[in-house]
Amino acid sequence: MGKAQKKKEMRRHNPVRVPDSHLPKGLDAASKTSSKKDAVLPIIQKLEGGEAQDRTWACSAVSNLIQNDPSTRRLLQGKNIVGILISKLSDSVDEVVVEAAGALRNLCIDAGYDVCAEMFNKNIISPLKDLIPKISSALDKLVTSPTSAPENTTELVFNLAENVITILWCLSETSNKALNAINELHLAPFLMAFLENRAKLSSRTTAAAAQCLYVLTDDNFPVIADVRSNSSFTSCLVSIATTSEAISGDDVAKLKEGKEMAEARGISLRILCAGILRNISPIPAPSAASSVDIDRSVVLPLLLPVLSSVSLVDASARVSHLVSTQSEDIGTEKLSIKNAPKSDHRTPAEIELDFIETKLRNIQLSLEILTGVCATLPDPDFAKDASDDTNDDEEEDDDAMDADEGDDGDETLDAPIDAETDTTPAVPDSNTALLPSILPPLLTLIQPTPLSFPPLPSTSAAPLEEQPKTHAPTTSALASVHISALECLNNIFLSLGVAGRAGKGGGTNANLEVAKDVDAGKRVWDGVWAALALVGLEGVGVAGQERRKEMWEIAVGVLWGVGGIWKGSIVPNEEQVKVLIQLCDSTSEGQLRVKAIGALECLAQHQPSIEANKVISTYFLSIISTPLASSSTSPEPIIQAASALIDIYSDENSPYDVNFRQGGFFQALSTALPNVKKAVKSIDRKKEGGRLLRGHGEEVLDNLRGFIKYRSNLKF
């Protein structure tokens, strides 16, 4: 049950993107499902045309065609649209360059990793590198003498800058190779220039620069060092994050989209700057920001109010209304060279939908940053294990090394399951002070709405008038909010659990006081189950419903964390026990099975619930008795189940110990001991995390031997 944290090898992709990985692959499938396939060839022909107006129109048409339309986008990809658009970044006409960059930007957003990788492989970095100094020079002129530049030129520069920056942002999350190439561009001064001159620049462009810098400072030391090294950069970031101000002098955008959208974008910018500050912390002297407590003074005061700024239920209802009443989009057949739409052409309904999505993304981004704040404590196993690395590496005998590891106690399987360390600075006064203000909104934000997930196959078979109105971008945003809120809860209760264990046996511990508020634990437990009831198990494992599965994976970890803190206080519900067992049986993923076993273990230790204890313990015995080779499981669940049985029956005077004595559990454990040993020995310590897991497994195996011996000596 590791803390939710960002991982270099699995970098978070553009959150605006609507996933379509579940859709059928191949050009034949795309051709059959695209309603705009007849427009593809004319657009390709005009892209290669000699008239600049044709090329401009064609680039703009690409942007319109691919919007939430993966079938048409894949048809265009089959015609090498990526390579053609990259070549247009070097076009002699500025309008073509801007529209080509806009089309590539939208491809990045809509198509995800695969297209971004294709762009990188087709050397998009070279034309982007050439465009950056041109953009900087044009922006410098706009900042120093804004009245001298024609309005059309100003808008072109802003649009080009936004498009180029967004492409770089998406590329940086594609692969380490792409990230390293972008690091070599040293973009920090270029991006910070937009933030420092935000009052004179487009709000959209400034926001894109902040988003790109936020991603580039995510566990990426070269850019972190560049930002840290300039005290004016850090001072600017603190100023933006802590000051309510007009986000820019972008009066045109404010008139087009309204004051509310401008304010929402202003909040987005402040959130992003707070995230950047957290990414680059600690900030070194002599920067004035070095003395600022980023979490207490910047992050929490800004982000906590955002969590309650939108009712997800109301937002979902409003989106459904807008989708059902808005007029149809302008079809490709209505497009003409004479009346070519801009890439950002939108109806009033689309503008309001964008506004709602922006507010939802603000919540999601706030939760993403708060996930790091909630991970306030490192796991003790990590620090100990790091100090033992040198001695362990010197051991040559496999079994000797295994026996030397695993001295951390049999209380948790956290470290072996998630081998990454969280080095996030601790929030002052521990996260117990955070609980009263953050728990209520988090429990609200995890509750799904009718638009939170794509319709299930059974729903899509209903009559057309009964099918729910869908809006993919809103669905993507809502699901991200729910999952990010669950990740916050996961880190809170994992941290409290670790702190509680660390506080045992010496002095007082504020986190242990939390366990005394049993009603709070029950509220969280019931809130998570209420959310899972709305998610349902029907969609888990179904193509296109990956977010439902992710909800279950994280939520079960939260249940384990809550159950661990309020162990013995959560009354096991028969239906919930059945669901957890069903979930554990229906997946071969070791991580999810371990979480389910952990949650069940906590329920089994409710003293009066003798029957529930029997059901759960019998199930655990079946897990540790099943040979690893004959099951589709990994060794982690066997180790976790063995550890759980030891904890459950560590007190022979507990009311439910009658199950152990009368159910033949002693004999079952003795018989299963060789199977547990085989599971432990099957762990390859050379694999990532294998050494930690192997050491923990050896520890559980030793404890199981000692437990069996101890129980054999008891007289009843």
Side-chain angles (χ1 to χ4, degrees), residues 40 58 158 162 191 219 296 311 363 378 436 467 483-484 589 595 637 684:
V40 171
F158 287 163
E162 180 189 350
L191 297 173
D219 294 328
R296 177 180 284 275
S311 165
I363 296 175
Q467 293 182 20
I483 288 169
S484 295
E589 296 181 16
K595 292 176 183 178
D684 185 355

Side-chain angles (χ1 to χ4, degrees), residues 506-537:
T508 60
N509 190 302
N511 292 325
L512 295 179
E513 295 297 315
V514 176
K516 295 180 180 179
D517 189 354
V518 177
D519 288 339
K522 291 179 178 178
R523 284 196 299 273
V524 178
W525 183 271
D526 291 342
V528 174
W529 275 108
L532 290 175
L534 293 172
V535 176
L537 271 174

Side-chain angles (χ1 to χ4, degrees), residues 558-592:
V558 176
L559 293 174
W560 185 11
V562 173
I565 294 170
W566 285 280
K567 187 176 291 185
S569 300
I570 304 296
V571 180
N573 174 286
E574 183 180 356
E575 185 60 32
Q576 292 172 0
V577 170
K578 288 182 179 178
V579 169
L580 288 172
I581 291 176
Q582 178 185 349
L583 185 67
C584 195
D585 283 339
S586 64
T587 180
S588 60
E589 296 181 16
Q591 293 270 354
L592 180 53

Side-chain angles (χ1 to χ4, degrees), residues 298-558:
V298 179
V299 174
L300 294 177
L302 172 62
L303 302 190
L304 290 180
V306 176
L307 302 187
S308 304
S309 62
V310 178
S311 165
L312 301 190
V313 174
D314 291 347
S316 175
R318 180 58 181 166
V319 169
S320 294
H321 174 74
L322 289 170
V323 170
S324 62
T325 58
Q326 70 173 327
S327 59
E328 294 184 1
D329 294 337
I330 298 176
T332 306
E333 66 278 359
K334 297 179 182 179
L335 301 181
S336 66
I337 297 176
K338 182 178 180 181
N339 187 31
K342 297 295 183 182
S343 298
D344 61 351
H345 174 77
R346 292 177 299 172
T347 65
E350 288 171 332
I351 290 175
E352 185 174 355
L353 288 170
D354 187 36
F355 169 62
I356 294 172
E357 185 183 357
T358 297
K359 297 190 75 173
L360 292 175
R361 293 297 178 188
N362 283 347
I363 296 175
Q364 188 268 329
L365 181 58
S366 298
L367 290 167
E368 181 180 298
I369 297 169
L370 286 171
T371 296
V373 177
C374 293
T376 57
L377 293 172
D379 292 335
D381 300 297
F382 296 148
K384 176 175 176 55
D385 185 71
S387 67
D388 290 341
D389 279 348
T390 302
N391 291 332
D392 286 343
D393 291 340
E394 291 174 355
E395 297 285 351
E396 296 182 2
D397 181 74
D398 185 74
D399 288 336
M401 173 182 243
D402 295 332
D404 286 341
E405 294 173 349
D407 297 328
D408 302 326
D410 188 37
E411 303 254 349
T412 178
L413 194 56
D414 299 341
I417 294 304
D418 190 336
E420 291 191 77
T421 276
D422 188 316
T423 57
T424 307
V427 177
D429 297 334
S430 83
N431 56 16
T432 54
L434 190 61
L435 289 178
S437 57
I438 198 171
L439 277 184
L442 289 180
L443 291 176
T444 299
L445 293 173
I446 66 174
Q447 305 301 323
T449 76
L451 283 183
S452 294
F453 303 102
L456 291 165
S458 57
T459 308
S460 59
L464 188 62
E465 62 274 9
E466 296 179 12
Q467 293 182 20
K469 300 298 181 182
T470 60
H471 184 247
T474 301
T475 293
S476 176
L478 285 168
S480 295
V481 167
H482 302 323
I483 288 169
S484 295
L486 280 172
E487 287 175 337
C488 277
L489 287 171
N490 179 74
N491 279 7
I492 286 173
F493 293 111
L494 177 60
S495 295
L496 286 172
V498 172
R501 290 190 292 273
K504 289 180 180 179
T508 60
N509 190 302
N511 292 325
L512 295 179
E513 295 297 315
V514 176
K516 295 180 180 179
D517 189 354
V518 177
D519 288 339
K522 291 179 178 178
R523 284 196 299 273
V524 178
W525 183 271
D526 291 342
V528 174
W529 275 108
L532 290 175
L534 293 172
V535 176
L537 271 174
E538 181 183 353
V540 177
V542 177
Q545 300 293 339
E546 290 79 10
R547 299 298 252 174
R548 291 182 191 266
K549 180 181 178 182
E550 195 171 355
M551 282 281 289
W552 274 97
E553 289 174 343
I554 303 171
V556 174
V558 176

Side-chain angles (χ1 to χ4, degrees), residues 601 604-605 613 617 620 644-651 654 656:
E601 174 196 341
Q605 295 187 58
N613 172 275
S617 298
F620 288 170
L645 285 166
I646 297 170
D647 285 346
I648 292 169
Y649 294 109
S650 60
D651 181 6
S654 64
Y656 54 67

